[in-house]
């Protein structure tokens, strides 16, 4: 489990939206690359980047900014927003990003989603953003008529093994996470998920610790920008939760047959 501070890019600036509303924008930094460097200095290993312009337009509008982040930091970067062509995936892969999130394309272009996973495999992640259980698309501005759980089963069948799951009603609101929702989604999907939407502070990471086996990452936005969540402390707590989950797994594992080892010469 790792922390991913979020850099959402709109109009070339690092912003946060409230509940995905493009009319409820808060600008936190005029330079997204500089913001990524700040998070790196604070101790982050990962970064979650969303091209909000691209999410609406379907074009990689801020890809040059993302390439700048890759050149000027050593962060592992996860990117989503407006990724709807093999060419865009290849350009991001060539830039060195660690994970690429497909969202709207999973619903509107399943053939592309299948071609992408067959071509790029583990580099890809399914981005499922839900409002009241329904998948939202096109920058969260439209409903899809598909339930989040049904889409999770479909992308699992296609071969996706990573997922970013966002509760839109909580995103950008610092209202806290619902650990059970992410545990259930991981169970439906069959693989751990990255939790997104509503992180308010360390208490949310502590709340996810008991289900750490179901969580591979936690995205935090407004809370880190406004000082409610310290990046270094959050990263340390994520690592501690991961170690505890691993220790519990080892302790619960059935013991195999005793080994009878003979040392040569005895």
């Amino acid at each position: 489990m790792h922390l991913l501070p979020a850099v959402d890019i709109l109009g070339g600036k690092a912003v946060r939206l409230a509940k995905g509303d493009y009319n409820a924008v808060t600008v936190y930094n005029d330079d997204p690359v500089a913001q990524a460097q700040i998070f790196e200095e604070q101790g982050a290993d990962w970064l979650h980047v969303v091209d909000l312009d691209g999410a609406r337009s379907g074009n990689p509008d801020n890809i040059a900014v993302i390439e700048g982040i890759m050149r000027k930091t050593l962060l592992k970067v996860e990117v989503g927003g407006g990724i709807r062509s093999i060419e865009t995936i290849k350009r991001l892969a060539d830039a060195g990003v660690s994970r690429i999130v497909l969202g709207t394309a999973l619903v509107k272009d399943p053939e592309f989603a299948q071609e992408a996973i067959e071509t790029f495999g583990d580099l890809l992640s399914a981005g499922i953003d839900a409002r009241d259980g329904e998948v939202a698309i096109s920058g969260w501005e439209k409903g899809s008529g598909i339930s989040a759980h049904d889409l999770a089963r479909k992308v699992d069948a296609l071969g996706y093994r990573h997922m970013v799951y966002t509760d839109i009603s909580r995103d950008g609101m610092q209202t806290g996470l619902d650990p059970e929702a992410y545990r259930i989604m991981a169970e439906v999907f069959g693989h751990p998920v990255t939790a997104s939407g509503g992180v308010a502070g360390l208490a949310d990471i502590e709340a996810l610790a008991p289900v750490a086996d179901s969580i591979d990452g936690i995205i935090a936005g407004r809370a880190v920008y406004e000082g409610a969540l310290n990046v270094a402390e959050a990263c340390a707590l994520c690592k501690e939760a991961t170690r505890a989950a691993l220790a519990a797994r080892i302790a619960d594992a059935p013991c195999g047959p005793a080994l009878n080892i003979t040392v040569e010469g005895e």
Side-chain angles (χ1 to χ4, degrees), residues 138-208:
S138 301
W140 298 354
E141 294 188 320
K142 300 177 182 178
S144 66
I146 299 173
S147 82
H149 287 176
D150 284 347
L151 184 57
R153 295 184 185 97
K154 288 179 181 178
V155 296
D156 172 45
L158 287 177
Y160 285 78
R161 297 296 176 260
H162 303 290
M163 178 196 294
V164 176
Y165 179 47
T166 304
D167 182 348
I168 296 172
S169 67
R170 295 171 183 256
D171 191 73
M173 301 306 293
Q174 290 180 257
T175 52
L177 292 169
D178 178 3
E180 185 66 4
Y182 294 101
R183 185 198 66 76
I184 293 172
M185 176 55 85
E187 184 176 307
V188 171
F189 181 46
H191 314 280
V193 302
T194 295
S196 174
V199 172
L202 283 177
D204 289 303
I205 297 176
E206 293 170 347
L208 285 172

